[in-house]
Amino acid sequence: MLRKIRITFALIFFIGATLLFLDFTGTVHAYFGWIAKIQFLPAVFAVNVAVIVGLVALTLLFGRVYCSVICPLGVLQDIFAKFGKMSKKNRYSYSPALNIWRYTLFGVMIVAIILGIGSIVGVLAPYSAFGRIVHSLAGPVWMWANNLLAAYAERVESYAFYSREIWIKSIALFSTSVITLVTLAILAWRNGRTYCNSICPVGTFLGFLSRFSLYRPTIELAKCNSCGLCARNCKSACIDSKAHKIDYSRCVSCMDCIGKCHKNAIKYTYKREKVEVIGPAVETVNISKAQVNDSSRRNFLGLLAFVGGSALMDAAEKTVDGGLAVIEDKKIPNRNKHISPPGAKGHRNIASRCTGCQLCVTVCPNHVLRPSGNLENFMHPIASYERGYCRPECTKCSEVCPTGAIQKIDSAEKSSIQIGRAQWVKENCIPLTDGVSCGNCERHCPVGAIQMIASVAGDDESLKIPAVDTEKCIGCGACEHLCPSRPFSAIYVEGNERHRFV
């Protein structure tokens, strides 16, 4: 019963977390956004004391149920482990804990948090790793299915769905996600919870606390016949059946051992001291095939498919104007300072608190945010305006960030936050290069920070060029995105290292 309850709650958390990283509309966040906020590391960065105290208390009471129920990466490992178990029954065995390796990585995480190196934290953070996998690998498939529905809806004159462009936002992030998924799958397929108990810093910390948990799986020596079936089904490799011991720092309270024990020698109960063995211990026991099959049918069956193909990635696709002239894609300008999203306060705050989960990138409706590929801010969201601009009324990224790297703001605040300043590039401006009037940047500036002035001083009849009022500009990128100059815009946004109000 306990195992079924654990699986039910694990599925709720897993499906909810997955939908958060697939839903590009931000609708799901209203229902499942709390799942992101109760993850351990996001709660630490957000200084959410209530959640931190709650998770610590949960661990001290019931053991590492966070790892087996709440953490979606932990549940993903169980799914891969289940596939491995289908190929070979009773395949696990006890192994000593790699404590030096575990605590070394935990120390690296602590140092990275203290020094504000969010990139290292993001690589090791389990929730962020799961988010990157879903966003980068499952997201394109999800959007492809959405586009099929949108095409059908259009034929029947319905607007329930709308098409989304599918493109790889960062090759570096995509590669990292593939490597993470493959590594996780191999480790879980072969040895179960290896990642949880040897690499994950959150698992190491909660494992230390779970050594003192009040409720835990306990071996009753009077009933145990030392068959070893519990150890051969323990995906955490933490049960030493010969010594009748359980390493509670690695036990994730999955209850699998309880379901496998035919003597009811393992119970999840209030901790107590080990009692002496009553009667001789039997080293082996024969289990009928029917018993094993019957027990196997009661196990959780999971399926998660990550499929995709290069045909879905149309980043290199050209668009044609009127079927005649090829419109050249815009290229990213060489900015001296990158642009961090509104609500981030500046580069320092987002660098020290962002774990690179990609939740903000997922919900950005205008393709403005994308993960950085630079080492200094690897996987952190940055803004760029080749595919859209940051609309002053949109605050979705600030609504979904679970760590406080992007503070929640409203549309009124956003309209007054300067994340960058527009810069004019004389050599690219169409009135000067082609001798025709333009003024596109002035017409579309939402804050009126651009004014067209005579290109020749004192000659009001000369072609007009833009002049930017940097005190009014908020760096939304409307001018850069809508500038007709190709491949580089004649006006672009230079990021502010610290945001300011205008």
Side-chain angles (χ1 to χ4, degrees):
M1 177 61 70
L2 288 176
R3 183 172 176 272
K4 291 181 179 179
I5 294 174
R6 192 266 303 173
I7 291 175
T8 300
F9 279 101
L11 282 174
I12 293 173
F13 280 98
F14 181 79
I15 294 173
T18 302
L19 290 176
L20 283 178
F21 291 101
L22 291 178
D23 178 43
F24 48 81
T25 66
T27 305
V28 172
H29 188 80
Y31 303 96
F32 293 106
W34 55 273
I35 293 179
K37 291 179 171 58
I38 65 170
Q39 301 299 320
F40 191 82
L41 274 178
V44 169
F45 280 101
V47 198
N48 194 331
V49 178
V51 171
I52 297 172
V53 171
L55 292 178
V56 169
L58 183 69
T59 305
L60 290 175
L61 281 174
F62 305 111
R64 286 175 58 183
V65 292
Y66 171 87
C67 299
S68 59
V69 175
I70 300 176
C71 178
L73 194 70
V75 180
L76 181 60
Q77 290 177 76
D78 289 347
I79 294 173
F80 285 128
K82 182 63 181 179
F83 286 124
K85 195 173 181 179
M86 290 171 65
S87 63
K88 182 180 180 181
K89 308 294 183 181
N90 305 322
R91 63 194 181 95
Y92 301 121
S93 61
Y94 172 78
S95 61
L98 303 175
N99 287 327
I100 296 178
W101 178 249
R102 294 167 69 191
Y103 288 108
T104 297
L105 289 177
F106 179 73
V108 170
M109 170 72 82
I110 296 299
V111 172
I113 292 176
I114 293 174
L115 297 180
I117 308 176
S119 299
I120 295 178
V121 176
V123 170
L124 297 175
Y127 178 72
S128 299
F130 176 80
R132 291 191 295 270
I133 289 171
V134 175
H135 171 79
S136 301
L137 306 182
V141 181
W142 180 269
M143 284 192 284
W144 174 75
N146 170 81
N147 291 349
L148 286 180
L149 291 174
Y152 173 77
E154 184 179 358
R155 292 181 180 179
V156 296
E157 297 183 353
S158 170
Y159 298 96
F161 300 92
Y162 59 91
S163 181
R164 290 279 291 184
E165 184 181 5
I166 303 172
W167 58 293
I168 298 179
K169 298 179 177 68
S170 170
I171 296 296
L173 183 78
F174 183 83
S175 303
T176 302
S177 301
V178 170
I179 294 172
T180 302
L181 179 65
V182 171
T183 302
L184 192 77
I186 292 175
L187 291 177
W189 179 283
R190 297 184 59 185
N191 302 305
R193 288 271 185 153
T194 303
Y195 179 90
C196 255
N197 290 327
S198 300
I199 299 175
C200 178
V202 175
T204 299
F205 174 73
L206 296 180
F208 175 80
L209 295 179
S210 67
R211 295 164 56 195
F212 311 101
S213 60
L214 296 180
Y215 289 88
R216 58 177 66 172
T218 304
I219 300 176
E220 294 189 10
L221 302 183
K223 296 181 179 180
C224 180
N225 59 5
S226 300
C227 68
L229 192 59
C230 55
R232 294 199 299 274
N233 285 275
C234 177
K235 56 197 171 194
S236 295
C238 66
I239 300 179
D240 187 349
S241 58
K242 294 182 179 179
H244 300 90
K245 292 182 179 180
I246 299 176
D247 182 356
Y248 293 110
S249 72
R250 290 185 289 161
C251 176
V252 295
S253 299
C254 66
M255 314 300 175
D256 286 353
C257 56
I258 297 176
K260 289 296 180 180
C261 183
H262 300 290
K263 299 295 183 179
N264 294 322
I266 303 180
K267 293 184 178 180
Y268 185 74
T269 183
Y270 185 80
K271 67 176 182 179
R272 55 189 177 184
E273 298 297 324
K274 182 174 71 175
V275 297
E276 295 296 326
V277 179
I278 299 177
V282 181
E283 291 186 359
T284 60
V285 63
N286 293 324
I287 303 173
S288 67
K289 182 177 181 181
Q291 286 177 304
V292 174
N293 290 339
D294 181 65
S295 177
S296 176
R297 282 193 295 268
R298 294 195 302 267
N299 290 338
F300 168 66
L301 295 178
L303 179 60
L304 182 67
F306 290 107
V307 293
S310 58
L312 298 176
M313 307 306 173
D314 56 350
E317 183 182 351
K318 298 288 185 180
T319 58
V320 178
D321 181 14
L324 299 175
V326 174
I327 300 177
E328 190 174 4
D329 290 336
K330 278 184 177 287
K331 292 184 179 179
I332 301 175
N334 185 21
R335 309 183 205 274
N336 294 319
K337 298 287 184 181
H338 66 266
I339 308 168
S340 52
K345 295 184 177 180
H347 296 178
R348 183 175 180 179
N349 180 67
I350 202 167
S352 62
R353 303 179 74 173
C354 177
T355 60
C357 72
Q358 309 307 307
L359 200 53
C360 57
V361 177
T362 299
V363 300
C364 181
N366 300 306
H367 298 297
V368 170
L369 293 184
R370 66 216 43 198
S372 171
N374 297 326
L375 291 178
E376 60 178 348
N377 58 335
F378 185 54
M379 299 183 298
H380 294 171
I382 59 174
S384 199
Y385 304 124
E386 296 74 53
R387 297 173 182 267
Y389 68 94
C390 192
R391 297 181 180 274
E393 70 277 6
C394 177
T395 59
K396 287 191 174 182
C397 60
S398 74
E399 295 169 0
V400 302
C401 179
T403 67
I406 305 176
Q407 302 287 329
K408 189 173 182 178
I409 57 175
D410 55 34
S411 56
E413 289 177 299
K414 182 177 178 181
S415 298
S416 61
I417 296 176
Q418 186 186 77
I419 61 176
R421 292 161 295 178
Q423 307 287 323
W424 178 58
V425 182
K426 179 180 178 180
E427 292 76 13
N428 297 338
C429 196
I430 285 181
L432 300 182
T433 58
D434 295 358
V436 295
S437 60
C438 181
N440 222 29
C441 51
E442 179 193 36
R443 286 192 297 273
H444 294 95
C445 179
V447 295
I450 300 176
Q451 183 179 3
M452 302 302 291
I453 62 174
S455 58
V456 179
D459 184 3
D460 294 336
E461 299 301 322
S462 61
L463 292 171
K464 302 295 189 295
I465 57 175
V468 181
D469 184 349
T470 56
E471 294 301 316
K472 294 176 65 177
C473 176
I474 60 174
C476 67
C479 55
E480 178 181 332
H481 172 66
L482 296 169
C483 177
S485 177
R486 295 292 191 279
F488 292 102
S489 296
I491 191 166
Y492 75 98
V493 178
E494 192 68 58
N496 282 354
E497 191 166 347
R498 294 183 61 184
H499 296 177
R500 57 185 291 264
F501 285 93
V502 296

